[in-house]
Amino acid sequence: MKAADICRAAAVLVSGERARQHGDLVENHANIAAMWNAYLAIRREPGAPLTAADAALMQALVKIARTQLGADNADNAIDIAGYAGVYGEIAGR
């Protein structure tokens, strides 16, 4: 797939079904930023480089933030559970 094809496909997604699912993109990303800021403010090692475990938890926060706007979407719950599992596996290593 060419770069232009990828960009066209992305444009269809962000302006169509994803916009309906996740609501206004500015408000959605502001919610995500608020969750990430809260997470970073209380993490165990403030200022330390982010870890793989942090990334898994922050990805779950993206999905949690998305539950506040747009249509209810079962995929969010599945993804939250998936990221929790990923976090658990990473933390167990």
Side-chain angles (χ1 to χ4, degrees):
M1 185 177 257
K2 302 274 186 191
D5 298 327
I6 293 168
C7 291
R8 279 190 287 278
V12 169
L13 284 175
V14 299
S15 62
E17 183 61 18
R18 297 275 166 84
R20 186 191 68 74
Q21 287 177 345
H22 304 310
D24 178 72
L25 66 95
V26 173
E27 192 174 0
N28 181 27
H29 284 82
N31 287 346
I32 293 166
M35 292 217 177
W36 285 3
N37 282 322
Y39 175 81
L40 292 171
I42 63 167
R43 61 188 290 255
R44 291 181 200 163
E45 300 177 48
L50 293 172
T51 66
D54 289 319
L57 292 171
M58 291 174 77
Q59 284 296 104
L61 291 174
V62 168
K63 299 303 180 171
I64 293 166
R66 285 182 174 172
T67 67
Q68 302 307 299
L69 299 171
D72 286 331
N73 183 352
D75 287 344
N76 287 331
I78 294 165
D79 289 345
I80 291 165
Y83 284 120
V86 168
Y87 165 76
E89 184 173 336
I90 290 168
R93 288 190 183 181

